[in-house]
Amino acid sequence: MSKRHTLRIAVLGAIGVALAAGATTLSSAAPSSFASSAPKPTVVLVNGAWSEPASFSGVIRRLQKDGYPVVAPPTALRGLSGDSTYLSAYLKTIEGPVVLVGQSYGGSVITNAATGNPNVKALVYISAFAPDKNETAAELTAKFPGTHITDDPNAPLPTALSAVPFTSTDGTKVTTGIDLYTKPDHYRDLFLSNRLSKKESAVLAAEQHPISLQALGDPSGEPAWKTIPSWFLVSKEDHLIPAATERFMATRAHGHITVADTPHAAQVTDPGIVTRLIEQAAHATR
């Protein structure tokens, strides 16, 4: 988060970032120490919906302190194909091995952008979507019960969201769509599971970056997790993507799974857990 879509219920998905009191590793993880003369991989952090690269600030500080090169290019949040294509091009500018990290909708983006890139050695999913081919963020959110994005399944739009039409121009092409915002009075519960104060949460709600309806309904392409090793943070207190959905995706991908008592925005409230998982993945690439 920086200091700074007919509408359909299929929007049940998104992003965004938060803290946890502790974590339990369910599958094999990299050792806590690793002796190697190989250079450390570049960590690329990809934000999800209703957030921005600054949501990773606490993680970035810790990784840099530990000697990792870190970059956090912004996600446009306007369409999965376009968002993934941009990230794919960005990754090609980085020399050497890469650990690619996606949070929430950012997981869908890395799943598509990393496919076919031999420099991406590990994928890390933080309370994130890891779709298979043709799956959407919306349908994955609704796959298991538990999301707080709506309390009325018959509503034309999830009740935690509000819609704002937009028009954009690219040369002679005019595009229209719907931006989705989280309502301020739902933000603290949906993303932070009430772990931050009302005052702090209100600031983050005011600074949120919207996601388009299209992005949440776009089908995914061939998934990179079928060929690249993956690590997953399953957030038990995630009120946006149900923990059961996160566990399902992680198990399907044969990923290294860590379960933590974290909300959706785990990197915001407990960046330490997120950093440790990223460094486990990084150790395994060297």
Side-chain angles (χ1 to χ4, degrees):
M1 280 329 132
S2 75
K3 291 255 173 190
R4 268 289 247 178
H5 80 30
T6 53
L7 296 172
R8 48 194 175 173
I9 197 134
V11 178
L12 295 175
I15 153 232
V17 270
L19 167 83
T24 303
T25 301
L26 297 186
S27 66
S28 60
S32 57
S33 62
F34 190 92
S36 174
S37 59
K40 291 183 176 180
T42 298
V43 177
V44 180
L45 303 168
V46 182
N47 65 284
W50 302 295
S51 72
E52 292 183 347
S55 66
F56 284 106
S57 293
V59 175
I60 292 171
R61 286 192 292 269
R62 286 165 172 79
L63 288 170
Q64 289 179 336
K65 181 179 179 181
D66 291 343
Y68 287 90
V70 187
V71 292
T75 310
L77 305 175
R78 281 289 168 88
L80 182 55
S81 177
D83 293 340
S84 302
T85 297
Y86 177 82
L87 179 60
S88 177
Y90 185 93
L91 292 173
K92 291 175 183 177
T93 70
I94 300 174
E95 295 184 3
V98 169
V99 172
L100 188 54
V101 184
Q103 197 276 332
S104 190
Y105 167 79
S108 294
V109 178
I110 70 171
T111 293
N112 287 265
T115 301
N117 188 330
N119 283 348
V120 179
K121 304 302 183 182
L123 301 171
V124 183
Y125 293 86
I126 307 300
S127 312
F129 295 108
D132 203 344
K133 187 174 182 179
N134 293 324
E135 287 182 334
T136 71
E139 68 181 271
L140 283 169
T141 303
K143 189 174 183 65
F144 295 97
T147 182
H148 291 194
I149 203 167
T150 191
D151 54 20
D152 181 2
N154 297 313
L157 183 72
T159 54
L161 305 179
S162 59
V164 178
F166 70 81
T167 300
S168 61
T169 303
D170 181 10
T172 59
K173 182 181 179 180
V174 177
T175 302
T176 61
I178 301 292
D179 268 342
L180 298 172
Y181 287 82
T182 301
K183 295 176 181 178
D185 58 340
H186 287 265
Y187 195 93
R188 182 169 178 250
D189 169 65
L190 195 59
F191 297 106
L192 304 166
S193 301
N194 302 314
R195 300 292 179 87
L196 291 186
S197 70
K198 291 181 179 180
K199 186 174 183 179
E200 292 173 296
S201 300
V203 172
L204 297 178
E207 297 173 342
Q208 66 176 286
H209 190 94
I211 188 169
S212 75
L213 178 63
Q214 175 184 335
L216 298 178
D218 281 346
S220 186
E222 191 65 30
W225 49 258
K226 288 189 175 182
T227 57
I228 301 174
S230 57
W231 280 255
F232 288 78
L233 175 62
V234 173
S235 292
K236 291 196 298 182
E237 293 303 316
D238 195 326
H239 290 175
L240 202 158
I241 306 174
T245 300
E246 295 175 8
R247 189 188 295 269
F248 163 77
M249 294 182 292
T251 302
R252 178 176 64 182
H254 303 290
H256 303 268
I257 305 172
T258 292
V259 179
D261 183 29
T262 48
H264 186 68
Q267 75 272 26
V268 172
T269 58
D270 192 358
I273 288 177
V274 174
T275 302
R276 287 193 293 274
L277 184 61
I278 294 170
E279 293 191 352
Q280 285 179 4
H283 290 156
T285 70
R286 302 175 65 204

